[in-house]
Amino acid sequence: MNVEIIAIGDEILLGQILDSNSHWIARKMAEIGTPVKYFSVISDKEDVIHEAFAVAYRRSDVVLITGGLGPTDDDRTKGILAKFFNLPLTFRNDILIQVKEHYKNSQLKFSDTSREQAEFPAGATAIKNSHGTAPGIWIEREGHFFIAMPGVPSEMMGMMNDFVIPKIVAKQYGPITLFRTLNTYGIIEASLYEKLDNRREIREYVGLAFLPSFNGVKLRITAEGKDKPHLEARLDRAESLIREKIEKYIVGVGENLSLEKTVGEKLLDLRNKLAVAESCTAGFLSKRLTDISGSSGFFERGFVTYSNEAKNEMLGVPMDLIERHGAVSSEVAEAMAKGVLKNSRADVAISITGVAGPTGGTEEKPVGLVYIGYADSSRCIHKKCTFGKNRTINRDRSVSTALMLLLNQLQKQDDDFELILT
Amino acid sequence: MNVEIIAIGDEILLGQILDSNSHWIARKMAEIGTPVKYFSVISDKEDVIHEAFAVAYRRSDVVLITGGLGPTDDDRTKGILAKFFNLPLTFRNDILIQVKEHYKNSQLKFSDTSREQAEFPAGATAIKNSHGTAPGIWIEREGHFFIAMPGVPSEMMGMMNDFVIPKIVAKQYGPITLFRTLNTYGIIEASLYEKLDNRREIREYVGLAFLPSFNGVKLRITAEGKDKPHLEARLDRAESLIREKIEKYIVGVGENLSLEKTVGEKLLDLRNKLAVAESCTAGFLSKRLTDISGSSGFFERGFVTYSNEAKNEMLGVPMDLIERHGAVSSEVAEAMAKGVLKNSRADVAISITGVAGPTGGTEEKPVGLVYIGYADSSRCIHKKCTFGKNRTINRDRSVSTALMLLLNQLQKQDDDFELILT
């Protein structure tokens, strides 16, 4: 089954909104074994939308459309879809009742603009919107499924989970694609590639791809066919071939297995509680660690010590230490980590202090210089990192490197792991 | 000039990586007046890439390609591009020197795999990669520009800023498109639409679009033409027509003007320092506030009080208050905000406590229940919010609502602003 996503909206093309919907949908479709073949983002001009529908009708079986279902007149998806499939818009009282119900529950004033949401393409199936007003639209025509959903993520996700995915699964046919992701860290892509000198044998069983990121290189293996147990066996065989060569770099298996999840599980295993102190990343590490449900089992507290006074008053870092070495120094990073242990109920502590940029750098302490500290009851270490000039990237890499250092310490591996440089 | 982005990579189609590159490129292209007309994401299969290049050649003048330039054999962009334009790959010693230089600077081992990066399409321009090894590729053919860049964001961004954007600006022709974004908050899309009953007049000057998000509804106005001052005048006229109707909901003007930036500027204006305490959002509010360069001018410190003990020990919230009302309560939210003021050097404080979910809810305190506290030297208030069941969305909305409450208090407007429900 060929699956395609079309996201409609000038706000995405203008770079004002990041299209996280397509990413989410793509992951869901991959999970059910029918990965997406094409994504496109197009403007909300009628001719462009019409042309995109025509192309999608030719090349795809399932077409998932997001955006342009709202109540204002720059929302054109419903009208164009009706025209494309030659279905007249008719007034649907059942939809009106649902829309009114939603307005009532949300304590919003119902208006004439909202009333138009009850106009619906005749013969199409309305998909209930549990998180908003505009219903989704499901149209079937000669084996093609066109599914239009709102661009608001919560509304789209609700429709996908409750209605669209179960319905697609029920209609699936043809070969499926299974994949598995092996997450590595502490090694760069080119080195990993060379260590895996049995690539030819691996590729007898699966497709193999290398996916570098600041969080380590992921290896994705893919098997396509009709028989699920057979595909699983091919993935198993390929995984053991990979493990033969690079076992020690693999931190976990799973598409959604983030570094923070691996760290969290390790902390839970060890029954260790973690607390952190952050200067340049200012809460980002805490945020990442608590993205995971159940993080209260291992995360105890965080200190966002943005000012020098905060480092002194919250963590007991001596002011003269800061003055002598600077807030961005190995000495302060270690003192912060020790201060976390003293001022929390945690067993292990991580600290981050650095020059995130783009301003604030000096010759001696340039933008991108970051120190990460680690402390437990028996030891305290630090790691010096030199990243680039981009504030966002520096903060991101600081958090990832801190998580890697922590994981490394929890696994009592070699201290001096190679930093991911891709 | 028609501009198109093609992102290559199965990892995006499988939902493993979010394509933030296209978003960034789109914003840059919009800033120089030639917004992107199409984005697509395609797999790294040869026939699919070839077909996408053919479609792009037909419909676009500038084609920006990301991904598939790395050293491993699942990286196919260079070879396919060479074939598409019928340019043989030749060995370029100048590129080899640059690649070797990068390996040396990064203290990486140079390998034969890396040597292949010096093979380059004859006649194409190599774009220097200041952040990695693979050079970018610039090909011109009959007025079409094909530009291939690595998928690693820092490498792509470096090439765009240093080489691609200046070169495109030098070659620009035809009409340009200017746009302006008015950021509103405290009002839902449908109400905004109805208050703007002069839409017809506005649209005599500009295109008008409504962009709802958890951070408020943005109004985007667009003017297309050749004469920049004339386009600016049309935007000015439209802006004043909009302000006539909804002045009080507009918090700022600017494409990249986020809520946190508006809050930060207001705090700097008032010379107020902010400190925050977070439970369920656990650092996310601090992170958002410090995304902005220069945030040390207004952000003083943060308390990530994830456990009850942390609320008590870091902020002095009495344990019996937590036991009596629960950690998620208006009483604790207000006590947290007051505790922030007592335990920091800040003038204003914000606190967040809630049930992020997906587990941990009760009948009385369901998932999605969040209390936000605000305190300054003269007053302390709270706001009760009931969001949905999704952890990620709940944390996102909690942060946005906290920023809106803070902005509202700083502007000394009506306490009881309407929560964004779209």
Side-chain angles (χ1 to χ4, degrees), chain B residues 212-231:
Chain B
S213 81
F214 293 142
N215 294 318
V217 181
K218 290 169 189 254
L219 291 174
R220 189 188 58 234
I221 53 177
T222 321
E224 190 177 314
K226 292 204 168 186
D227 178 43
K228 208 170 164 181
H230 181 68
L231 296 180

Side-chain angles (χ1 to χ4, degrees), chain A residues 14-307:
Chain A
L14 286 170
Q16 298 184 322
I17 285 181
L18 176 68
D19 173 31
S20 57
N21 282 341
S22 298
H23 173 65
W24 187 90
I25 294 173
R27 183 177 288 188
K28 285 282 168 185
M29 295 308 294
E31 279 169 10
I32 62 169
T34 45
V36 172
K37 290 262 165 66
Y38 306 90
F39 290 11
S40 11
V41 179
I42 56 172
S43 87
D44 47 26
K45 292 199 174 65
E46 178 157 358
D47 55 333
V48 175
I49 298 177
H50 199 277
E51 170 65 18
F53 288 174
V55 170
Y57 194 84
R58 276 199 300 277
R59 68 183 178 189
S60 302
D61 307 299
V62 177
V63 182
L64 297 154
I65 303 154
T66 58
L69 283 186
T72 60
D73 55 9
D74 56 325
D75 292 310
R76 301 194 176 92
T77 305
K78 184 169 68 181
I80 298 168
L81 207 49
K83 218 174 189 178
F84 183 81
F85 285 102
N86 208 13
L87 305 170
L89 286 176
T90 54
F91 184 81
R92 287 263 299 259
N93 204 47
D94 58 324
I95 295 175
L96 184 69
I97 290 166
Q98 279 183 26
V99 171
K100 279 193 168 165
E101 178 89 7
H102 177 82
Y103 270 71
K104 211 179 123 194
N105 290 341
S106 312
Q107 296 171 302
L108 296 173
K109 218 184 81 216
F110 186 77
S111 66
D112 285 342
T113 311
S114 321
R115 177 176 291 270
E116 279 169 30
Q117 306 208 327
E119 302 276 337
F120 204 77
T125 305
I127 308 173
K128 188 168 191 273
N129 188 343
S130 308
H131 300 81
T133 54
I137 306 167
W138 176 289
I139 295 173
E140 285 189 40
R141 177 75 55 94
E142 293 174 358
H144 299 272
F145 309 110
F146 272 63
I147 301 128
M149 293 169 286
V152 178
S154 55
E155 301 182 25
M156 179 279 292
M157 290 175 189
M159 289 185 189
M160 283 291 290
N161 284 331
D162 298 345
F163 185 91
V164 177
I165 288 173
K167 198 153 172 172
I168 290 175
V169 168
K171 290 181 183 277
Q172 260 171 349
Y173 58 87
I176 59 168
T177 307
L178 293 188
F179 62 93
R180 189 177 294 174
T181 307
L182 310 182
N183 302 278
T184 74
Y185 88 104
I187 179 167
I188 64 162
E189 183 182 12
S191 307
L192 202 58
Y193 188 75
E194 290 183 8
K195 280 187 202 293
L196 277 178
D197 52 11
N198 58 347
R199 291 189 303 274
R200 184 172 297 185
E201 194 186 350
I202 294 168
R203 286 189 165 130
E204 285 170 22
Y205 299 95
V206 295
L208 170 66
F210 296 78
L211 314 172
S213 81
F214 294 141
N215 294 317
V217 182
K218 290 169 189 254
L219 291 174
R220 189 187 57 233
I221 54 178
T222 322
E224 192 178 313
K226 290 205 167 186
D227 179 42
K228 209 170 163 180
H230 181 68
L231 296 180
E232 294 282 3
R234 275 162 56 194
L235 292 175
D236 288 345
R237 177 72 187 125
E239 182 178 335
S240 59
L241 285 169
I242 292 169
R243 284 188 181 275
E244 273 174 28
K245 300 289 178 179
I246 55 155
E247 177 80 56
K248 71 168 177 170
Y249 299 102
I250 297 177
V251 290
V253 177
E255 288 67 45
N256 306 325
L257 190 74
S258 57
L259 194 52
E260 47 271 33
K261 205 163 170 180
T262 311
V263 166
E265 280 166 10
K266 193 78 201 163
L267 285 164
L268 287 173
D269 276 359
L270 297 170
R271 300 206 179 149
N272 271 354
K273 290 259 186 184
L274 170 70
V276 306
E278 303 180 67
S279 186
C280 63
T281 53
F284 196 9
L285 174 59
S286 300
K287 188 261 173 192
R288 282 266 300 269
L289 284 161
T290 57
D291 279 342
I292 311 154
S293 172
S295 48
S296 54
F298 61 83
F299 185 78
E300 209 263 331
R301 70 183 70 177
F303 302 82
V304 182
T305 54
Y306 214 53
S307 61

Side-chain angles (χ1 to χ4, degrees), chain A residues 111 194 290 313 345 391, chain B residues 111 194 290 313 345 391:
Chain A
S111 66
E194 290 183 8
T290 57
E313 292 163 12
R345 292 163 179 250
R391 180 180 181 88
Chain B
S111 66
E194 288 183 9
T290 57
E313 292 163 11
R345 291 164 180 250
R391 180 180 181 88

